[in-house]
Amino acid sequence: MKFTAAQIAGILEGEVIGNPDAVVFKLAKIEEGTEGSLTFLANPKYVNFIYTTQATITIVNNDFVPENELATTLIKVEDAYQSFSKLLEYYNQVKLMKSGIEQPSVISENVTYGEQLYLGSFSYVGKNVTIGNNVKIYPNCFIGDNVSIGDNCIFFAGVKIYSETEIGNNCNFHSGSVVGSDGFGFAPVNGKYVKIPQVGNVVLEDWVEIGSNCSIDRATMGSTVIKTGTKLDNLVQIAHNVEVGEHTVIAAQTGISGSTKIGGYSQFGGQVGVAGHLTIAPNTSVGGQAGITGNVTEENQKLTGTPATDVRTFLKSVANNRKLGTLMQELESLKRELESFKKP
């Protein structure tokens, strides 16, 4: 896709200083800009690069005044960083603007879908599925029976959505993720583990984003729930009957065990482990590799370590552990001194 400086300025409500017909077709860092690339200058630390960059167009703040001659066309805006982000979003929307039903693909009976559906080749849509407007389902996706999907959702290649899943509006699912697979439920009977049927479902509210290769299990009964605005990184496991509160972010390789309830606006670092049947208060922040083994009852806590504890307490414990060697030597010295007093 190619854009002129005039087109970009129109999108960003900016002013062109230079050639309005300058054309760009790629993005670059300002220090790595080449002919045909678009870049931006927001951080003053990088201002020297604007005089050497070969980028065709550079987005700058309105108050930028060049001290030397420039080879790049400028687009002046109120906030260069925000404008560049806006342009990236626009570019992404254009890139993903697909529609139509490719073949081979399967749409089963009693399926309803809205306007601007894109269904990629080798995808399957089960019975009684409802799909909203502007939904993009890329190749090799599976949508099971009785699934409902809201507007403006994107399913990248290889996503699997099991039956009865309910998905809100503006949700994104990245490749390889599975939603609605069976929860890990088995009962010991006569020395063997017997599977407990998982008859619940998964409910995802609006503006949820699921990274690649995540797994969200259906409930044993009732629903596993991911609330509005929650974002999951890659390789996250959400077990059966978990409830993740609104606008929570969970980093890669984190696992949430069954029936745990996480309050809204919480933050989980990478590789966090959470035991089952716990309640975690809203606005909880958990450091990477922490292990939560008990309820978190107070809001706004910052936790780390295993078992997870207050960050300041944990850091004091780490500092004390580093002193153990010296303390042991001092104890041995005191022990020898005491023993010397016992000698006749």
Side-chain angles (χ1 to χ4, degrees), residues 150-220:
D151 298 335
N152 306 311
C153 293
I154 301 174
F155 301 82
F156 288 99
V159 170
K160 316 299 180 189
I161 308 295
Y162 281 48
S163 62
E164 281 79 42
T165 299
E166 299 175 18
I167 299 170
N169 301 314
N170 304 293
C171 295
N172 291 343
F173 301 80
H174 290 276
S175 294
S177 284
V178 178
V179 177
S181 51
D182 279 358
F184 193 62
F186 298 88
V189 177
N190 298 324
K192 298 179 181 179
Y193 284 99
V194 177
K195 186 176 181 65
I196 299 171
Q198 307 292 292
V199 297
N201 73 338
V202 176
V203 175
L204 294 95
E205 297 183 353
D206 299 340
W207 299 102
V208 171
E209 179 137 355
I210 308 298
S212 62
N213 296 306
C214 293
S215 184
I216 303 174
D217 293 344
R218 68 172 57 242
T220 305

Side-chain angles (χ1 to χ4, degrees), residues 1-12:
M1 291 179 286
K2 295 182 179 181
F3 297 91
T4 66
Q7 287 174 321
I8 294 170
I11 295 168
L12 302 179

Side-chain angles (χ1 to χ4, degrees), residues 264-276:
Y265 298 90
S266 294
Q267 300 172 330
F268 290 75
Q271 296 187 331
V272 170
V274 183

